Amino acid sequence: MPGNTDLLTLQTPCLLLDEARLRANVARMKAHLDSLGVAFRPHLKTAKSLDVARIAMPSSAGPATISTLREAEYFAAGGVCDMIYAVGIAPAKLGRVSAIRASGADLAVILDSVEQADAVAAHAARSGDAIPALIEVDADGHRSGVAPTDTATLVAIGRRVVSGGAELRGVLLHAGDSYALNDPAAIAQAAEAERVAAVTAAEALRNAGLPCPVVSVGATPTARYARDLTGVTEVRAGVFMFGDLYQAGVSSVAMGDLVLSVLATVIGHQKAKGWIIADAGWMALSRDRSTAKQAVDQGYGVVCDLAGQPYPDLIVADANQEHGIIALRKGSTATLPDLPVGSRIRILTNHACATGAQYDRYHVLDGAGGISAIWPRINGW
Amino acid sequence: MPGNTDLLTLQTPCLLLDEARLRANVARMKAHLDSLGVAFRPHLKTAKSLDVARIAMPSSAGPATISTLREAEYFAAGGVCDMIYAVGIAPAKLGRVSAIRASGADLAVILDSVEQADAVAAHAARSGDAIPALIEVDADGHRSGVAPTDTATLVAIGRRVVSGGAELRGVLLHAGDSYALNDPAAIAQAAEAERVAAVTAAEALRNAGLPCPVVSVGATPTARYARDLTGVTEVRAGVFMFGDLYQAGVSSVAMGDLVLSVLATVIGHQKAKGWIIADAGWMALSRDRSTAKQAVDQGYGVVCDLAGQPYPDLIVADANQEHGIIALRKGSTATLPDLPVGSRIRILTNHACATGAQYDRYHVLDGAGGISAIWPRINGW
């Protein structure tokens, strides 16, 4: 247990952030992308914090990727002036996009339909704001995007964007299906497929005489395991900064690199059942149960001591809103640790994006088990 | 579609609240509990809003149940002065409890161990604050609590509480396993078991010469279907106010009584797959997938038109952080509705407590499809 008493006195549950691990994760990703000769545009949807953004971004002004216009407003107010809003644009959001751009931030949008291109073009013509737009291209059937070989649609969208005086800035892909892979070689293959799709789409636009300066790809797994990114100009990734049990389960991060943990307090026991009850339920840990489909189901989280070391086989086996039911993994031969009422524990969780969203601040761990800072974060839209 | 244009212009996603349904749900519960001759102590953990609390509580001063001390502080500042914090007390929270009590609110705590009773007694002796404590009794093996027949432990806890000058206020039970039942007769049986456990524990304390003025039970299903509450003084329930797809799946509320829905915008299509993409992902709907275990799996939510009428078989089949993937239920013979980019939809979600927690406000629907008010809500601890 650390000598510092901060972790014994904080009100629980609260969210701890290991700054040294965060910096190491960012440095590793930056070095990898530097070695591939591509720019890095970190995704801030996981952290939603200016303090974290300034560690992750190449400069305090960006570039960055964001997932909500609330993030765009918050980061723009904090001096980030190069952002892509990486969710297909709804026409009714274009006024808000222009307001953020008028505040000085170069905020770009993405789209994958002629309908959206018409809306962006009409807005640009009406407002005089040449909103930059990237065409979303479908890397792997995961979600949105134009098929990379659908040249007719790509070109039609590109022509509509520029027709109204908006700016066609390039193509953007997200190899979301790579999250389901757990073998570095398979992920590298997914990264190569993402690259090929990106380059194919970019060439289709250029062959039609349209500009395509930006070729943007990324997802945490493909960013980490890509071996060659020829033709790509930038990579986006976000959850890698923090990692989580799901990412660890697919080998995308190591357990020892996980940045976030929830500090909780033991509030009871059901000894006959082998249960320890803590004051961190699904509200504190999130409802995310994504490890349920993995080889090792981590329940609602892995229970650690205050130094961050997991207790053998001890997980949050079930959770109510403000109660975590801690028990040994089924079939375990380990011994339930002696954790009297009032004991403090740290819980690693399944999904950093979902857990983070339950909090309005990070308690930043220094190297000695104390709290060195509180970093605010935002939520909502 | 409503004549009012509010739902067409709000930024999405946002959380809609149907005030008329809320008032009807509350009136139904109050009438039922009145007929049983018990007091009502609504649980505010789902709503976390003073505006909702004032509709649900018997008076603007309470009584109320809360799940975090942040709620206690917020509601105390809003004039609620009779609250039970219904999560087993951690010793390190007693100072904060006393601070809230010093502000004028009669805030009680719960406990189920001699260790906690010692902590409460020691705090009372030290601070002079006679914190009221209820002993949590286990109704059904769901989570926390002393077995109702474990007289020795009940009496030992009761004696320790009063030994330090704290106040023994009674017993509290929560029949949490009733959420898994879907038959009114079975739920009525669970309510009767909860009542018997409560009365048994209360009698054990009284027989030992200890006070037990409050006998508090409750969970939304048992509150709704209890037929006799002799010996019980008050009932707690919270999620019934709003209802959700999970509750509808266990017949605890009707689909037509659901109060909350997420307003979202269509941002794209993958026509070959029959997908409609909306700007409400799991961040807006919550990660809760509790209907997955029910007879009808509602995915991440049921998609409705702006009047709140479900489209046949249309659900949010999958979700990423800010993307909902809408599709027809597997095997459906319904036709995918024509919802061009920019179309507005409303989504009913699995779990009101989890969905609500993703927002900092409710947009309150008037009867004409417009927004009559914005009610703030809180989150966090």
Side-chain angles (χ1 to χ4, degrees):
Chain A
M1 195 184 296
N4 193 300
T5 60
D6 287 348
L7 298 188
L8 302 177
T9 53
L10 282 173
Q11 286 291 296
T12 57
C14 67
L15 188 58
L16 304 178
L17 182 152
D18 186 320
E19 183 176 354
R21 288 184 179 185
L22 168 64
R23 289 186 182 277
N25 291 345
V26 168
R28 190 184 312 112
M29 180 64 80
K30 280 183 174 165
H32 175 57
L33 297 180
D34 279 350
S35 78
L36 294 174
V38 291
F40 180 38
R41 180 183 290 276
H43 205 316
L44 305 180
K45 79 185 177 82
T46 308
K48 301 200 186 205
S49 150
L50 258 172
D51 297 284
V52 175
R54 287 176 182 143
I55 290 171
M57 297 184 302
S59 90
S60 62
T65 316
I66 46 95
S67 71
T68 67
L69 292 183
R70 172 94 180 77
E71 288 167 49
E73 288 159 351
Y74 165 75
F75 288 114
V80 181
C81 59
D82 176 0
M83 290 182 275
I84 297 177
Y85 170 43
V87 177
I89 191 69
K93 289 177 178 154
L94 287 166
R96 196 166 164 200
V97 168
S98 280
I100 296 164
R101 291 175 49 74
S103 79
D106 177 15
L107 175 64
V109 302
I110 69 169
L111 37 68
D112 68 353
S113 67
V114 172
E115 291 161 282
Q116 289 166 298
D118 280 340
V120 169
H123 177 82
R126 198 167 50 239
S127 68
D129 179 15
I131 293 182
L134 294 93
I135 302 178
E136 187 172 13
V137 175
D138 182 14
D140 56 6
H142 179 65
R143 164 170 95 195
S144 302
V146 181
T149 52
D150 185 356
T151 304
T153 302
L154 289 168
V155 171
I157 293 172
R159 291 209 170 119
R160 300 288 183 108
V161 167
V162 299
S163 72
E167 177 191 336
L168 182 61
R169 187 164 285 177
V171 293
L172 177 143
L173 297 85
H174 170 61
D177 275 4
S178 66
Y179 287 93
L181 305 173
N182 62 7
D183 166 47
I187 298 172
Q189 211 163 12
E192 174 60 9
E194 188 182 27
R195 184 193 74 79
V196 169
V199 170
T200 302
E203 283 309 303
L205 293 173
R206 290 174 189 139
N207 289 341
L210 288 161
C212 186
V214 174
V215 180
S216 181
V217 303
T220 279
T222 55
R224 172 141 190 201
Y225 288 110
R227 290 168 185 167
D228 169 38
L229 288 172
T230 305
V232 166
T233 65
E234 65 174 35
V235 170
R236 307 177 323 280
V239 71
F240 83 93
M241 292 178 211
F242 288 164
D244 53 35
L245 294 173
Y246 182 85
Q247 296 289 319
V250 294
S251 316
S252 160
V253 300
M255 281 290 278
D257 297 333
L258 304 193
V259 167
L260 300 184
S261 58
V262 172
L263 183 69
T265 303
V266 172
I267 58 170
H269 301 85
Q270 291 289 1
K271 285 183 180 154
K273 295 175 180 165
W275 290 357
I276 300 168
I277 314 290
D279 66 352
W282 60 252
M283 190 68 86
L285 305 172
S286 99
R287 285 299 272 172
D288 192 282
R289 286 287 290 106
S290 49
T291 60
K293 297 174 210 158
Q294 296 187 328
V296 179
D297 182 349
Q298 307 285 22
Y300 283 88
V302 166
V303 182
C304 304
D305 63 21
L306 284 190
Q309 196 60 37
Y311 288 105
D313 283 340
L314 199 65
I315 62 171
V316 183
D318 203 354
N320 299 155
Q321 184 162 336
E322 298 293 345
H323 297 77
I325 299 177
I326 295 170
L328 292 172
R329 208 182 288 287
K330 263 183 197 164
S332 168
T333 56
T335 307
L336 201 66
D338 181 30
L339 292 167
V341 165
S343 300
R344 296 291 174 107
I345 52 177
R346 286 170 60 184
I347 303 171
L348 302 171
T349 64
N350 290 316
H351 189 165
C353 310
T355 302
Q358 306 301 102
Y359 296 85
D360 61 4
R361 73 197 72 178
Y362 301 101
H363 285 85
V364 182
L365 286 169
D366 62 27
I371 300 299
S372 58
I374 291 175
W375 291 348
R377 57 162 285 150
I378 59 151
N379 288 300
W381 295 268
Chain B
M1 193 185 298
N4 193 301
T5 59
D6 288 348
L7 299 187
L8 302 177
T9 53
L10 283 173
Q11 288 288 297
T12 56
C14 66
L15 187 57
L16 304 178
L17 182 152
D18 187 318
E19 183 176 353
R21 289 184 179 186
L22 168 65
R23 289 186 182 275
N25 291 346
V26 168
R28 192 184 311 113
M29 181 63 81
K30 279 183 173 165
H32 175 58
L33 297 180
D34 278 351
S35 77
L36 294 173
V38 290
F40 180 39
R41 181 184 289 277
H43 205 316
L44 305 180
K45 78 185 178 80
T46 308
K48 302 201 186 205
S49 150
L50 257 172
D51 298 283
V52 176
R54 286 177 182 144
I55 290 170
M57 296 185 302
S59 90
S60 63
T65 316
I66 46 96
S67 72
T68 66
L69 292 183
R70 172 94 179 78
E71 289 167 49
E73 288 159 351
Y74 164 76
F75 288 114
V80 181
C81 58
D82 175 0
M83 290 183 276
I84 297 177
Y85 170 44
V87 176
I89 191 68
K93 289 177 179 155
L94 288 166
R96 197 167 164 201
V97 168
S98 281
I100 296 164
R101 290 174 50 74
S103 79
D106 177 15
L107 175 65
V109 303
I110 69 169
L111 37 67
D112 69 352
S113 68
V114 172
E115 291 161 282
Q116 288 166 297
D118 279 341
V120 169
H123 177 82
R126 198 167 51 239
S127 67
D129 178 15
I131 292 182
L134 294 93
I135 303 179
E136 187 172 11
V137 175
D138 182 13
D140 56 7
H142 179 66
R143 166 171 94 195
S144 301
V146 181
T149 52
D150 184 356
T151 304
T153 303
L154 289 168
V155 171
I157 293 173
R159 293 209 169 118
R160 300 287 184 106
V161 167
V162 298
S163 73
E167 176 191 337
L168 182 62
R169 187 163 284 178
V171 293
L172 178 143
L173 297 86
H174 170 62
D177 275 4
S178 66
Y179 287 93
L181 305 173
N182 62 8
D183 166 48
I187 298 172
Q189 212 164 12
E192 174 60 9
E194 187 184 27
R195 185 192 74 80
V196 169
V199 171
T200 302
E203 284 308 302
L205 293 173
R206 291 177 189 138
N207 290 341
L210 288 162
C212 187
V214 174
V215 180
S216 181
V217 303
T220 279
T222 55
R224 170 141 191 201
Y225 290 109
R227 290 168 186 168
D228 169 36
L229 289 172
T230 304
V232 166
T233 64
E234 65 174 36
V235 170
R236 309 178 322 282
V239 71
F240 83 92
M241 291 177 213
F242 288 166
D244 52 35
L245 294 173
Y246 182 84
Q247 296 289 320
V250 295
S251 316
S252 160
V253 300
M255 281 290 278
D257 297 334
L258 304 193
V259 167
L260 299 184
S261 58
V262 172
L263 182 69
T265 303
V266 172
I267 58 169
H269 302 86
Q270 291 288 2
K271 286 184 179 153
K273 294 174 180 166
W275 290 357
I276 299 167
I277 314 289
D279 66 352
W282 60 254
M283 189 68 87
L285 305 172
S286 100
R287 284 300 271 174
D288 192 282
R289 286 287 291 107
S290 49
T291 60
K293 296 174 211 159
Q294 296 186 329
V296 179
D297 182 348
Q298 307 286 23
Y300 283 89
V302 165
V303 181
C304 303
D305 63 21
L306 284 190
Q309 196 59 38
Y311 289 105
D313 283 340
L314 198 66
I315 62 171
V316 183
D318 204 354
N320 299 155
Q321 184 162 336
E322 297 293 346
H323 296 78
I325 298 177
I326 294 169
L328 292 172
R329 208 181 286 288
K330 263 184 197 165
S332 168
T333 56
T335 307
L336 201 66
D338 181 31
L339 292 168
V341 164
S343 301
R344 295 291 174 107
I345 51 177
R346 287 169 61 185
I347 304 170
L348 302 171
T349 64
N350 290 316
H351 190 163
C353 310
T355 301
Q358 306 302 103
Y359 296 86
D360 61 5
R361 73 196 72 178
Y362 300 102
H363 284 84
V364 182
L365 286 169
D366 61 27
I371 300 299
S372 59
I374 290 174
W375 290 348
R377 56 163 285 152
I378 59 151
N379 289 299
W381 296 269

